[in-house]
Amino acid sequence: MTNTTVAIVGGGPNGLMALKNFREDGFDATLFESRSWVGGLWKHSTDESISSAATTIFNSSKYRASISDFPMTEEMDDFPTAAQLQKYFERYCGHFGLWPHIKLGSPIKGVSRERDDWAVEVGSNEGSETRIEHFDKVVFACGTFVKPRMPEIAGIEKFAAEAVHSMHFREPSRYKGKNVLVVGLHSSAQDAVTGLAPYASRIYLSHRSGVVLIPRYAADGSVYDRQPPLGTFIALLYLQHLLPSVFQWIFDTFIGKISAAAFPSIPKAWNFSPAPSLAVAAPVVADELYPHLKSGLCEPVDGIARITGPRSLELKSGRMLTDIDAIVFCTGYNSLIPVPLSPSSVNPFPSLGAPPVLYRNIFSLHPDPSIRNNIAFLCQAGAPLPGFAMFEFQAIAVSQVWRGKSSLPPLKEMERWNRDYMTWRERIAKKYGIKSTFYSAFVPMADFFRWEDQCAGVGLKKRFGLVERWTTKEAWGLWWNDRQLWDLCMAGLCSPAIFRLFDDGKRKTWAGARSQILKDNKSAARQQRERKRAMAKEE
């Protein structure tokens, strides 16, 4: 196994987790990153690639967001800043000895299949020369935020002022005293509004459909993602599988009530309601955005109908805006593989904006098994796990398949899964009448969790599944031998360390998992008490 070489393209969180887990499983893995740092978009930068804003705050709490065997420190904020996360990934590299296997400033110029291996063309940010390195396997961990998606707007050529995508929105201070139209209503739009607020004279927030706003903290002082516990989460997955419409109604209603309690005075004129179902659109954690909406500095307006002049446009409501000095398009990204692949049939994206043609949104469906079994694409599936574990266990699943600990079905069955997945996407899009982006990474949660749990060797279903918790020896053994741990897993905080508890003969466990679960529950309870006291003082 140690003679099997793996090239990992991309040094963001997903690439780093892949590097750690592949090396842990015995692969000779090397990571290539074009920039001079690790952590990807979590380091604020002004280059041409995607970057967090200086004000970006992570939407998951540190109690739920950490990598499964590398907890976030007490010093980090409840909801870490981008700068804290970038430091966290640097510490991750040091803790697991990854630095010697990371090649920074090494953009990949192309990947080609040559006989029995992959020829990886490695460039340098210091010059135009390239070199070829050969690997048995290749993993792309480039993320889904690759190519900016720009909307087609009639008359855009008439607009004489600045119009940029959020990827290139870098210095909010440049907009001092200006009227700025921000297009979009999700996390990048919130970052843009928050950055503009100290400088802009007025901000318009243009959106085509409604949105659900949720707070970082619940009414009882706890972080909003403290719930649901693992037992409830798995039960909900069963419900989603058996009665998807009922599940979605319950989920939408539940989140809707949280939103209404946290933001009770949203004017009808904002047109945030009716919001699309959470089956097709994520809510916005709006603590930074809402104060600017409430103050009137940022005014929600309808979508753009057409550009009418150098600084003017018409909204779909018929209203005219005649004083726009700049437009910032926070309209998302199209996924693609930003590296030339040879043969071209290896590329899993048939067209720009389409979902990838892959098994489980990870494994190639190429007819040649020597290609299909030696390449993988991470980050193309949004699995139902908290924080960074969402992608960590996709890398672990690939590693277990390549180790021979798990297996893939025959090609025909993999192709059938992809056809069923495409049919599911079409059905969901039609059912909910999608007007905005339906991200290509969305996958059926219950099905994906079941597969990932088995393939990566996490072992949760056989211990906490709705049926299994009462019928398997593993579940009864845990309940009998460690009641405290059982209770915390079932009804307490769903700590990421839970995913490193059990040894099912596949991915490596973590000796500190049990103590970390106890610690995470105590930390979250302490956070809740402190927050509740602070809220009482404010009242």
Side-chain angles (χ1 to χ4, degrees), residues 112-133:
S112 303
R113 187 68 179 171
E114 292 186 0
R115 294 194 178 97
D116 296 326
D117 61 21
W118 295 100
V120 178
E121 185 180 3
V122 185
S124 170
N125 291 336
E126 299 176 355
S128 58
E129 293 186 0
T130 64
R131 67 184 187 277
I132 301 295
E133 297 190 26

Side-chain angles (χ1 to χ4, degrees), residues 413-427 444:
E413 188 175 331
M414 294 166 66
E415 291 173 333
R416 186 183 309 115
W417 180 92
N418 182 261
R419 289 195 298 271
D420 291 345
Y421 168 63
M422 297 297 184
T423 300
W424 172 83
R425 286 182 58 88
E426 291 173 4
R427 184 172 67 250

Side-chain angles (χ1 to χ4, degrees), residues 70-193:
F70 192 67
M72 295 185 180
T73 62
E74 291 289 342
E75 292 74 24
M76 295 176 73
D77 295 346
D78 288 345
F79 293 87
T81 65
Q84 288 175 335
L85 286 176
Q86 204 271 328
K87 294 294 183 184
Y88 171 73
F89 292 116
E90 289 182 345
R91 293 198 305 272
Y92 181 77
C93 293
H95 181 78
F96 291 108
L98 302 183
W99 287 118
H101 313 290
I102 297 173
K103 297 185 178 182
L104 299 174
S106 301
I108 301 304
K109 301 297 185 180
V111 174
S112 303
R113 187 68 179 171
E114 292 186 0
R115 294 194 178 97
D116 296 326
D117 61 21
W118 295 100
V120 178
E121 185 180 3
V122 185
S124 170
N125 291 336
E126 299 176 355
S128 58
E129 293 186 0
T130 64
R131 67 184 187 277
I132 301 295
E133 297 190 26
H134 293 267
F135 294 88
D136 298 311
K137 299 177 184 292
V138 175
V139 173
F140 286 93
C142 310
T144 56
F145 300 147
V146 179
K147 185 176 179 59
R149 182 188 293 115
M150 295 291 283
E152 294 182 3
I153 299 175
I156 188 66
E157 70 282 354
K158 299 177 183 178
F159 194 70
E162 181 178 4
V164 298
H165 191 272
S166 58
M167 175 182 276
H168 308 296
F169 174 70
R170 291 288 185 257
E171 300 176 25
S173 59
R174 293 177 49 243
Y175 300 87
K176 186 174 182 179
K178 294 185 177 182
N179 298 326
V180 183
L181 177 71
V182 176
V183 180
L185 191 50
H186 281 281
S187 296
S188 58
Q190 177 167 234
D191 282 345
V193 170

Side-chain angles (χ1 to χ4, degrees), residues 345-391:
S345 55
V346 176
N347 194 322
F349 289 97
S351 60
L352 194 64
V357 180
L358 296 167
Y359 175 65
R360 300 289 174 181
N361 278 24
I362 299 172
F363 296 98
S364 173
L365 296 178
H366 198 279
D368 184 345
S370 71
I371 292 177
R372 182 172 72 247
N373 297 330
N374 293 295
I375 191 169
F377 302 87
L378 301 181
C379 326
Q380 306 302 326
L385 297 177
F388 292 107
M390 176 186 298
F391 297 113

Side-chain angles (χ1 to χ4, degrees), residues 268-290:
K268 187 176 181 180
W270 292 1
N271 288 325
F272 286 0
S273 182
S277 170
L278 299 179
V280 295
V284 174
V285 182
D287 295 60
E288 286 74 51
L289 175 64
Y290 185 73

